[in-house]
Amino acid sequence: MNKFIAGMVISAGLVLSGQVFAAEVYTIDPVHSSIVFNVKHLAVSTVSGNFKKFSGTITFDAKDLEKSKAEAAIDIASINTENDQRDGHLKSPDFFDAAKFPQITFVSKAIQGEEGKYKIVGDLTIKGVTKEVSIPAVINGPVNNPMGGVVIGLSGQLTVNRQDYGVSFNKVLDNGGVMVGNDVTIIINLEAHK
């Protein structure tokens, strides 16, 4: 009986130890985060915009990346380029068709790398089209914030061709260029709380 009890205590200790070192789940804090995009306009300048509403989680264990993952959803209706007319056009079927496809989503398949520098591979879905992308990213933390919580930071950048996702509106200019560039750079800066 004593051996049985001792075995139970050891097993419980192993389970508890596993929980201590398990991957932690962090929720994105939109107040301290941003998702910005840049695209060429008239082939001579760059227009920037951002999304005001997004959510998601990051599950992270630096010692066991197989347990780590990330997922996010972006509200298309929250697109903001500081111009109401342009924002309305971007929400229309010419671009994102927000009424039919209200969200952009990302779901990771793998997180690879070490010492803060990682590559996040996953499925990016825009306008109902899903493509695998790879995002070079830096993950900082975890750290304790002044309110007693635990926080990590994630920053990354990728470029996608909007034509691949059916975001295809354009006009050809007199000089042979196009009104809107196809390559869109997405800059991600996230703070997430456990």
Side-chain angles (χ1 to χ4, degrees), residues 58-73:
I58 302 165
T59 304
F60 186 63
D61 182 348
K63 295 181 180 178
D64 190 352
L65 291 179
E66 288 187 5
K67 295 178 182 176
S68 300
K69 59 183 179 179
E71 57 184 45

Side-chain angles (χ1 to χ4, degrees), residues 39 62 86 108 119 162 182 190:
V39 63
R86 180 168 55 211
S108 70
K119 179 172 69 173
R162 64 188 180 89
N182 288 330
L190 305 176

Side-chain angles (χ1 to χ4, degrees), residues 33-144:
S33 303
S34 64
I35 299 176
V36 175
F37 60 89
N38 296 323
V39 63
K40 281 288 186 184
H41 182 245
L42 302 177
V44 296
S45 64
T46 299
V47 172
S48 295
N50 62 76
F51 294 95
K52 296 293 187 182
K53 293 183 181 178
F54 49 89
S55 61
T57 58
I58 302 165
T59 304
F60 186 63
D61 182 348
K63 295 181 180 178
D64 190 352
L65 291 179
E66 288 187 5
K67 295 178 182 176
S68 300
K69 59 183 179 179
E71 57 184 45
I74 300 169
D75 184 351
I76 293 293
S78 73
I79 198 166
N80 172 48
T81 64
E82 304 297 341
N83 182 285
D84 291 342
Q85 183 177 353
R86 180 168 55 211
D87 293 347
H89 194 194
L90 289 170
K91 296 173 195 177
S92 78
D94 280 348
F95 286 95
F96 289 108
D97 199 355
K100 188 174 180 181
F101 304 101
Q103 290 186 327
I104 294 172
T105 61
F106 175 79
V107 179
S108 70
K109 293 178 175 178
I111 298 179
Q112 304 160 349
E114 58 185 10
E115 296 181 1
K117 296 182 179 180
Y118 301 96
K119 179 172 69 173
I120 304 173
V121 179
D123 287 334
L124 178 66
T125 301
I126 302 173
K127 208 173 180 179
V129 178
T130 300
K131 300 280 185 183
E132 184 177 280
V133 296
S134 179
I135 308 171
V138 173
I139 300 177
N140 293 313
V143 298
N144 295 322

Side-chain angles (χ1 to χ4, degrees), residues 141-176:
V143 298
N144 295 322
N145 70 17
M147 286 70 74
V150 180
V151 181
I152 62 170
L154 184 153
S155 60
Q157 179 174 312
L158 74 156
T159 298
V160 298
N161 186 323
R162 64 188 180 89
Q163 299 288 344
D164 292 342
Y165 295 91
V167 184
S168 55
F169 175 85
N170 225 332
K171 287 186 178 180
V172 178
L173 305 175
D174 293 341
N175 64 4

Side-chain angles (χ1 to χ4, degrees), residues 4-18:
F4 176 77
I5 293 172
M8 292 294 289
V9 169
I10 292 169
S11 297
L14 290 173
V15 170
L16 290 174
S17 295

